[in-house]
Amino acid sequence: NIEGIPADEGRAEYGGDKDDDNSGVLSYISIRHGGAALQADNEINGLTLGGVGSGTQIHHIEVFANEDDGIEFFGGTVDLKYGATIFCGDDGFDYDESWGGRGQFWFYISETDNGNCAGEHDGSERTDKQPKSFPVIYNATYIGSGSASGNAASIGLDMKDDAAAVYANSVFTGFSTGVRFRNRGTSDAYSRYMTDGDTKFLNNLWWDFAAGNDPNNFVVITDNQNGGVVGDVVAKLVAEGNQVIDPTLRGISRVPNQQLDPLPAAGSPLHQDLATATDSWFDVVDFKGAFGFDNWMFGWTALDKYGYLGDLSNTSTDFERNASGVSLMVPYPNPVTQGVATLAFELPASSDITVSVFDLTGRMVANTRYGKFVQGAHNLQLVTENFHAGLYVVALQTDFGTVTQKISVLKNN
């Protein structure tokens, strides 16, 4: 029976031996404010998939503010593209009993004071149960409660109980811990990763953890009955192309102010150093994380309907370029409400940089010389907390001329 359902309830039984079984189609479905309690501390997941076969088509699914997990797989081989789990009380994406499907374009974000793991990943409850199968997930963007939130339960990935996984071209940011391996009893979450190679982390980006951005601190091994060593895990992460670097997303917000935009900002490293999938089921894209140049959550999700999503894009129509090739993107977020905006710019060659800000009367309100920058794309932080509400002109002054953009500053009080 599905977890939590009484054993004498036959309608909750699942299983079988037909991997390509077809249970139909689920698409463009938003599951909102669910999670009724079956009994104390046992709430219903947003979407529960028990032994579902690969003939089933599931894509564009959102679970918003569910009391328990967002989406949970129990065994089966079903695949999922375009999945979003938002502000759930427990975990975002959970799997158990050797789920062997594939995932691509997964998004998770948690509240600052609620929510656990973006991914809680179990294998079989009985480690001797065969056959073993493990999922492969490309292009996930997982955003935790924030490194300064104090939510110790906010963990990127929790690998336990005979669990394995492949995560590739993904982003993990804003958690207390990046990845936790649990070596409990006969569990081999650590040893499988290190020896069998069933678990791989390929070309992912890790950033902003409560313990700091040193992987020796945000990689954790607990209940360590199998003798795991964090340093060995870190070495494997490095060898598999993982980086500790700011993904420079356009905007992270957990309140309905239209400032959540998890797409790559201009100059983001998410377009570099990609792992290549050999399985044709995966879409070939030129970015890490769940989003490239389009936000597939617009138009059908609660996240959009309730006013969380904003388009803080810095596309080709949102930059100014002078004749020498200096480009300055529209500052983001724009309008800026939290006192800091990002300036993204690109230089044709090495140059000294000065940023000046003027109000609409032409009065200079800020002027900062940053010194020498090399050729290429860069980001700077523009502090606006001392600006009055209003419209301003930002001027990027270089050895190759000046480029300007406008920015709007709003105040919350």
Side-chain angles (χ1 to χ4, degrees):
N1 273 34
I2 287 291
E3 180 183 74
I5 306 293
D8 59 357
E9 175 51 81
R11 292 174 297 177
E13 291 180 351
Y14 75 96
D17 57 6
K18 187 178 180 182
D19 280 353
D20 62 351
D21 186 59
N22 183 352
S23 294
V25 179
L26 295 175
S27 64
Y28 289 99
I29 295 174
S30 178
I31 303 167
R32 308 176 182 182
H33 309 288
L38 301 173
Q39 52 188 310
D41 300 319
N42 189 13
E43 298 85 13
I44 297 173
N45 303 312
L47 175 62
T48 299
L49 300 165
V52 180
S54 60
T56 308
Q57 298 180 47
I58 302 182
H59 62 88
H60 292 89
I61 304 294
E62 178 201 40
V63 179
F64 186 93
N66 196 74
E67 188 70 17
D68 197 47
D69 295 333
I71 299 174
E72 184 159 5
F73 304 83
F74 291 93
T77 55
V78 66
D79 303 317
L80 169 65
K81 275 185 180 175
Y82 302 104
T85 56
I86 315 296
F87 306 146
C88 292
D90 197 358
D91 306 307
F93 297 91
D94 194 341
Y95 61 77
D96 307 83
E97 301 296 353
S98 291
W99 170 58
R102 297 164 293 191
Q104 191 174 20
F105 312 124
W106 286 10
F107 177 67
Y108 165 89
I109 187 170
S110 64
E111 297 174 288
T112 56
D113 58 352
N114 194 24
N116 291 338
C117 307
E120 180 181 1
H121 299 334
D122 300 348
S124 301
E125 296 298 324
R126 284 175 43 193
T127 59
D128 62 338
K129 196 167 183 64
Q130 298 293 331
K132 300 290 186 187
S133 57
F134 310 109
V136 178
I137 300 155
Y138 272 68
N139 296 100
T141 295
Y142 291 165
I143 301 173
S145 295
S147 60
S149 69
N151 182 7
S154 180
I155 296 172
L157 298 177
D158 191 14
M159 306 292 296
K160 62 180 187 178
D161 295 342
D162 194 37
V166 173
Y167 269 93
N169 295 342
S170 295
V171 177
F172 306 89
T173 185
F175 294 95
S176 64
T177 298
V179 56
R180 176 173 68 185
F181 296 92
R182 298 205 225 180
N183 292 342
R184 302 186 299 184
T186 58
S187 167
D188 60 354
Y190 169 83
S191 62
R192 182 179 302 284
Y193 172 80
M194 295 304 299
T195 58
D196 297 349
D198 291 310
T199 293
K200 297 183 178 69
F201 295 137
L202 306 175
N203 299 72
N204 304 295
L205 264 58
W206 307 78
W207 186 252
D208 188 30
F209 300 99
N213 290 323
D214 184 339
N216 288 286
N217 294 326
F218 69 69
V219 173
V220 176
I221 302 175
T222 65
D223 307 310
N224 197 10
Q225 300 178 31
N226 289 339
V229 178
V230 168
D232 293 340
V233 177
V234 172
K236 191 75 180 295
L237 288 172
V238 173
E240 291 177 345
N242 293 269
Q243 294 178 288
V244 179
I245 188 172
D246 187 349
T248 59
L249 305 180
R250 293 176 185 168
I252 297 175
S253 176
R254 299 171 180 83
V255 296
N257 60 358
Q258 296 185 318
Q259 296 294 302
L260 175 61
D261 188 353
L263 278 66
S268 170
L270 295 182
H271 294 287
Q272 304 168 2
D273 303 317
L274 303 175
T276 302
T278 58
D279 186 335
S280 63
W281 181 85
F282 293 99
D283 293 348
V284 178
V285 295
D286 62 353
F287 54 86
K288 297 178 181 179
F291 309 93
F293 298 100
D294 297 299
N295 189 338
W296 45 263
M297 297 188 295
F298 275 126
W300 61 278
T301 63
L303 203 60
D304 184 25
K305 179 69 174 178
Y306 296 163
Y308 289 86
L309 292 182
D311 183 4
L312 311 178
S313 61
N314 297 299
T315 62
S316 59
T317 60
D318 293 324
F319 67 82
E320 292 292 336
R321 175 180 291 140
N322 69 12
S324 299
V326 179
S327 298
L328 176 62
M329 313 302 284
V330 171
Y332 59 92
N334 196 359
V336 57
T337 60
Q338 302 297 319
V340 179
T342 297
L343 303 181
F345 61 94
E346 189 165 353
L347 299 172
S350 178
S351 172
D352 283 320
I353 295 296
T354 299
V355 174
S356 301
V357 182
F358 303 87
D359 64 19
L360 293 188
T361 70
R363 182 176 65 92
M364 181 184 292
V365 298
N367 185 65
T368 305
R369 185 180 183 278
Y370 288 93
K372 187 76 72 176
F373 282 73
V374 299
Q375 177 185 6
H378 305 278
N379 290 329
L380 287 176
Q381 299 300 304
L382 175 65
V383 178
T384 65
E385 59 185 8
N386 293 325
F387 292 11
H388 296 295
L391 189 65
Y392 295 86
V393 175
V394 179
L396 179 76
Q397 302 167 30
T398 76
D399 297 340
F400 308 100
T402 299
V403 184
T404 63
Q405 287 283 8
K406 293 180 181 178
I407 185 171
S408 178
V409 175
L410 299 181
K411 297 292 186 178
N412 291 324
N413 51 18

